[in-house]
């Protein structure tokens, strides 16, 4: 029986691809054994078991670039975690170890390299993460979501597969009538979908709050996902402008239906979000978060905007430009259709299965 370890996490952008790869491996090899390695206290310790997989946590955290003395403890924990990861691998005996980025990925991949176990990396972003760059020499294959990633990785190891996306999203288009009914919206008016991730995006939310009077009078319908941290402030601000055309919620559980009726999407530029927008061919305005490592969301957004597949609005300019740009764009059908067509050309399909197939090819390459 084949056995695989998938390591990494920390954010949904790492966890979702990891679970998708595991699901694809199970589809190809139903009897295979799969074990996840994550970081204690991070969201993967809940999300992975909820998806039906076993996970072991390591005590690891990122380097503190502001308080350098704290890194003495970080390095000690990393060293201990590598030792624990080696013990896990000797007991589990994986054929291949997959790294998807995040704190725990580094320790697990270091352990795999020391034991001669084949490694496959999956890089979601247009700017390579620190762990994946450090482990590139030890990896057999590196699956990427964007062209030109050979500037970070050895060219002969790079395979363009795209990022796995939520499997039900593509089914929403067949249920548009249900979507309009769910959100209480009309079919004869355009829909603007505003999303900032499950936790929310401060700048996007503040831009919407300032523009509520204009949105109410625009004739555009709005689905506004605020995120849990911002829902109360959003509801207070929305109350004077309450109307059927603006739906305010902290979380959209049926994102497939929200995407199905969206004529334009405002979103952060996380790797998973961009992959979804391309696969669905959605016209989008991307507002990269400035609070991510290596400013990778700006690189993600530029990979689309330079090809006419999205509009990029800088976070610092969002309060002044974002909603006006959105209203102007959604009112221009030719523009939204052009963005949609160009986004579709960048879509990578069946990404999870293609990555899983590359993982399976590495069996038997133990050093």
């Amino acid at each position: 029986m084949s056995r695989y370890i998938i390591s990494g996490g920390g954010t949904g952008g790492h966890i979702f691809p990891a679970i998708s790869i595991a699901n694809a491996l199970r589809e190809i090899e139903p009897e295979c054994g799969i074990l996840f390695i994550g970081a204690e206290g991070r969201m993967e310790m809940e999300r992975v078991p909820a998806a039906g997989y076993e996970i072991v946590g390591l005590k690891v955290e990122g380097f503190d670039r502001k308080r350098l003395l704290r890194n003495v403890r970080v390095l000690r924990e990393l060293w201990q975690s590598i030792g624990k990861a080696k013990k896990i691998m000797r007991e589990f005996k994986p054929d291949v170890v997959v790294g998807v980025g995040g704190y725990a990925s580094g320790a697990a991949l270091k352990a795999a390299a020391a034991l001669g176990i084949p490694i496959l990396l999956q890089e979601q972003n247009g700017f390579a993460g620190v762990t994946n760059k450090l482990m590139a020499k030890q990896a057999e294959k590196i699956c990427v979501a964007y062209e030109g990633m050979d500037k970070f990785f050895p060219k002969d190891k790079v395979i363009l597969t795209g990022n796995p996306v939520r499997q039900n999203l593509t089914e929403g288009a067949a249920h548009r009538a249900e979507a309009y009914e769910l959100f209480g919206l009309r079919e004869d008016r355009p829909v603007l979908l505003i999303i900032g991730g499950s936790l929310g995006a401060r700048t996007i939310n503040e831009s919407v709050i300032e523009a509520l009077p204009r949105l109410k009078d625009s004739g555009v319908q709005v689905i506004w996902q605020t995120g849990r941290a911002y829902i109360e402030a959003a509801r207070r601000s929305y109350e004077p402008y309450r109307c059927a055309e603006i739906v305010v919620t902290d979380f959209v559980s049926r994102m497939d239906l929200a995407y199905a009726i969206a004529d334009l999407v405002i979103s952060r530029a996380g790797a998973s979000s961009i992959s979804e927008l391309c696969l669905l061919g959605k016209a989008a305005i991307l507002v990269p978060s400035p609070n991510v490592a290596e400013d990778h969301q700006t690189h993600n957004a530029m990979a689309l905007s330079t090809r006419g597949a999205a509009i990029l609005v800088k976070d610092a300019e969002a309060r002044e430009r974002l909603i006006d740009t959105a209203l102007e764009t959604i009112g221009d059908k030719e523009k939204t259709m052009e963005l949609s067509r160009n986004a579709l050309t960048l879509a990578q399909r069946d990404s999870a299965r293609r990555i899983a197939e590359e993982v399976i090819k590495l069996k038997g390459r133990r050093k």
Side-chain angles (χ1 to χ4, degrees), residues 20 34 55 66 76 84 94 119 124 146 154 156 164 170 174 179-180 187 195 225 235-236 266 273 304 330:
S20 296
I34 296 175
I55 186 168
K66 294 180 180 178
R76 183 175 66 249
K84 182 177 178 180
I119 292 170
Q124 299 98 29
Y146 296 95
D156 61 327
T170 55
Y180 284 112
E187 296 187 29
I195 49 179
Q225 178 183 283
R235 283 176 175 156
R236 285 194 300 270
I266 292 175
S273 296
L304 271 65
I330 204 169

Side-chain angles (χ1 to χ4, degrees), residues 272-284:
S272 294
S273 296
I274 285 185
S275 295
E276 291 172 358
L277 292 168
C278 289
L279 184 67
L280 299 172
K282 287 295 167 182

Side-chain angles (χ1 to χ4, degrees), residues 80-294:
Q80 292 170 346
S81 293
I82 292 172
K84 182 177 178 180
K86 285 182 180 178
K87 184 174 184 293
I88 292 167
M89 290 182 195
R90 289 191 182 104
E91 293 173 353
F92 188 74
K93 296 181 173 60
D95 295 287
V96 185
V97 174
V98 179
V100 298
Y103 302 142
S105 185
L109 294 172
K110 283 283 187 185
L115 296 173
I117 302 168
I119 292 170
L120 180 140
L121 303 179
Q122 198 254 334
E123 176 56 62
Q124 299 98 29
N125 296 295
F127 192 92
V130 173
T131 299
N132 282 348
K133 283 193 287 188
L134 289 173
M135 295 304 302
K137 286 186 178 179
Q138 282 79 29
E140 298 285 333
K141 295 293 179 182
I142 305 169
C143 294
V144 301
Y146 296 95
E147 294 178 352
M149 294 300 286
D150 52 348
K151 62 179 175 282
F152 302 108
F153 303 125
K155 189 173 183 177
D156 61 327
K157 296 183 179 183
V158 172
I159 304 170
L160 181 64
T161 58
N163 284 322
V165 302
R166 287 173 280 189
Q167 293 168 335
N168 69 328
L169 290 182
T170 55
E171 301 166 5
H175 304 281
R176 287 172 59 86
E178 180 186 349
Y180 284 112
E181 184 177 349
L182 175 67
F183 294 105
L185 301 178
R186 294 167 48 176
E187 296 187 29
D188 60 345
R189 290 188 179 182
V191 176
L192 173 63
L193 173 61
I194 303 171
I195 49 179
S198 59
L199 299 178
R202 180 189 297 276
T203 304
I204 292 177
N205 285 326
E206 290 178 351
S207 300
V208 177
I209 288 170
E210 290 177 16
L212 280 170
R214 301 202 300 284
L215 285 169
K216 182 179 179 180
D217 297 333
S218 68
V220 172
Q221 301 177 110
V222 179
I223 301 171
W224 177 19
Q225 178 183 283
T226 68
R228 291 189 299 271
Y230 301 99
I231 186 61
E232 293 305 323
R235 283 176 175 156
R236 285 194 300 270
S237 301
Y238 166 68
E239 194 58 38
Y241 308 100
R242 177 179 290 276
C243 59
E245 289 77 22
I246 302 177
V247 178
V248 183
T249 180
D250 61 336
F251 181 72
V252 177
S253 59
R254 290 299 304 272
M255 190 59 74
D256 57 324
L257 297 183
Y259 274 135
I261 59 174
D263 296 281
L264 180 68
V265 180
I266 292 175
S267 174
R268 285 300 198 194
S272 294
S273 296
I274 285 185
S275 295
E276 291 172 358
L277 292 168
C278 289
L279 184 67
L280 299 172
K282 287 295 167 182
I285 298 175
L286 301 174
V287 187
S289 171
N291 306 313
V292 295
E294 312 292 347

Side-chain angles (χ1 to χ4, degrees), residues 18-19 21-24 26 34-36 47-55:
I19 292 172
I21 293 166
N23 291 341
R26 279 270 167 89
I34 296 175
L35 176 67
F36 281 75
R47 297 283 179 87
V48 170
Y53 295 100
E54 183 183 354
I55 186 168

